Amino acid sequence: MTVLYILVPIAVILVVVAIWIFNWAVNSGQYDDLDGPAHSILFDDDDPAHLEARKEAQQDADDQPPSTDDTPDSRP
């Protein structure tokens, strides 16, 4: 019974750490492009259509304003 006094706080701490790591990953952009790496393996790097698509994607990424961590988060 006394082991529960040790295991329950450890479990709560592990859950809090896991939630913090998940929030960090989402806020730092780790999940922004889930399809890009999966599709890039299907294309030949020397294919002109692939090179043009990569240039367009890079231009789209450059046109978006950079996200900063000091702006307030709009999510609840």
Side-chain angles (χ1 to χ4, degrees), residues 39-40 42-60:
H39 291 167
S40 68
L42 300 174
F43 297 107
D44 185 18
D45 287 338
D46 298 331
D47 185 19
H50 176 64
L51 293 175
E52 184 64 30
R54 285 180 54 187
K55 286 180 189 176
E56 289 176 8
Q58 183 64 33
Q59 288 174 352
D60 290 342

